[in-house]
Amino acid sequence: MSISTASKALNNTGRMGDETRERVKRAAAEIGFRPNALAKGLLSNRTFTIGLLTNDTYGRFTLPVMAGITEALVDHGVSVFLCTIEDDPALGKVHVDALLDKHVDGIIASGKRIDRRLPVDLSNLPVPVIYAFTEGAPGSVTFCADDYQGAALAVEWLQGLGRSRIAHVTGPESFVSVRERAKAYRDLAGDGLPVMYGTWSEAWGHRAVAQLWSVAGAKPDAIFCGNDQIARAVVDALRERGVRVPEDVSVVGFDNWEIVAAQTRPPLTTVDMNLKALGREAGLTVLALAEGRSVDPGIRTLPCELIVRQSCGGSPDR
């Protein structure tokens, strides 16, 4: 058959019978044929690569986001370059310049928190820029988890179990995610107990339990924690005091950091921010922009999911 027919079969374009298309693909597989990516890029004016910039060097948030991006783009023949810039503006500029030199089709910026921008200027670049789990520039497309909705899931679950004195132990109030979760807690649980702001650490979880149990009167029958590290420490601190989890006190975390949640004893019920799904949406959106399709700007919040384990009692169907 002609070269043009073979090309159309391999690229899933043109009109031809399914049998013909499959014969070409089988023959290509048998001889180990691989399309010339450089030639393909020259014809389409694309490199089929995306840059992912992050200052989350630990990877707690960026790795699941990247997994989602890769999953969304692999079937489109697009590869992802990961560049960690820490909090160094000079390093950030080096990586941005390198990505532009490679003529990437777009850049996705991700970070450690949704209310801080990366320390590098991504405005007025000659390629599309999408933001995922970090603050975006005005007029950009930004993806983030719905912290209010996720916290509401946790509190409503505890209330559905019959818990009425729910404490909230969380991180620094300067984080917008902390304030959103605290607002959901207040709206649903009321003002009976103060929101306990602290640090993102197990040490704070231990101190918070000590404070709660040092006050005279009825103790909480549930504790909703701002992240899984705090929640694991809360569980340990309660056990050290002879308080049974979940029989006496239910505990729920936030993040679904599986290495922490699964190893907590008992395993931790927690809110999953669905960062992989967030990454998939970001990947498909930057691909759409790279292909010249129109995308409306704005902030897009994706729903969270409650992962029920043994630390709060009950079961997925209650």
Side-chain angles (χ1 to χ4, degrees), residues 67-104:
I69 295 169
T70 303
E71 184 179 278
L73 299 182
V74 65
D75 290 337
H76 297 274
V78 178
S79 300
V80 182
F81 293 128
L82 173 62
C83 300
T84 57
I85 65 175
E86 300 181 355
D87 286 310
D88 185 342
L91 182 59
K93 186 177 187 309
V94 167
H95 280 306
V96 170
D97 289 343
L99 291 172
L100 295 178
D101 287 343
K102 293 180 184 298
H103 299 282
V104 295

Side-chain angles (χ1 to χ4, degrees), residues 161-302:
L161 295 172
R163 305 299 185 176
S164 58
R165 288 186 54 79
I166 304 171
H168 184 32
V169 179
T170 189
E173 192 175 4
S174 59
F175 282 64
V176 69
S177 58
V178 169
R179 297 196 297 272
E180 283 295 300
R181 296 170 196 175
K183 184 177 187 303
Y185 163 78
R186 278 276 175 255
D187 288 347
L188 291 166
D191 300 322
L193 293 170
V195 176
M196 302 179 70
Y197 299 103
T199 59
W200 299 119
S201 69
E202 293 192 30
W204 164 232
H206 280 277
R207 291 198 305 273
V209 170
Q211 291 179 28
L212 287 167
W213 260 253
S214 68
V215 178
K219 301 297 185 283
D221 57 12
I223 302 177
F224 167 44
C225 301
N227 77 352
D228 291 343
Q229 287 173 282
I230 295 172
R232 179 166 67 177
V234 164
V235 171
D236 290 344
L238 290 171
R239 182 171 55 249
E240 291 165 4
R241 293 174 177 274
V243 179
R244 299 171 302 165
V245 175
E247 292 85 355
D248 301 324
V249 177
S250 295
V251 178
V252 177
F254 207 108
D255 290 345
N256 193 31
W257 191 0
E258 291 192 8
I259 195 171
V260 174
Q263 293 181 2
T264 303
R265 290 295 176 266
L268 185 64
T269 293
T270 181
V271 177
D272 192 322
M273 291 186 289
N274 284 332
L275 295 179
K276 190 174 180 181
L278 189 149
R280 284 196 297 269
E281 291 298 319
L284 292 173
T285 302
V286 79
L287 178 65
L289 290 170
E291 293 175 344
R293 287 179 275 158
S294 177
V295 176
D296 292 331
I299 298 174
R300 306 182 186 186
T301 56
L302 275 67

Side-chain angles (χ1 to χ4, degrees), residues 13 35 39 48-49 76 118 130 140 169 172 234 248 289 296 307:
T13 60
F48 296 91
T49 56
H76 297 274
L118 296 188
I130 296 294
S140 64
V169 179
V234 164
D248 301 324
L289 290 170
D296 292 331
I307 307 300

Side-chain angles (χ1 to χ4, degrees), residues 132-170:
F133 207 79
T134 191
E135 184 180 2
S140 64
V141 180
T142 303
F143 292 90
C144 61
D146 191 336
D147 286 289
Y148 184 97
Q149 176 260 351
L153 285 177
V155 177
E156 288 171 346
W157 180 263
L158 291 169
Q159 290 174 330
L161 295 172
R163 305 299 185 176
S164 58
R165 288 186 54 79
I166 304 171
H168 184 32
V169 179
T170 189

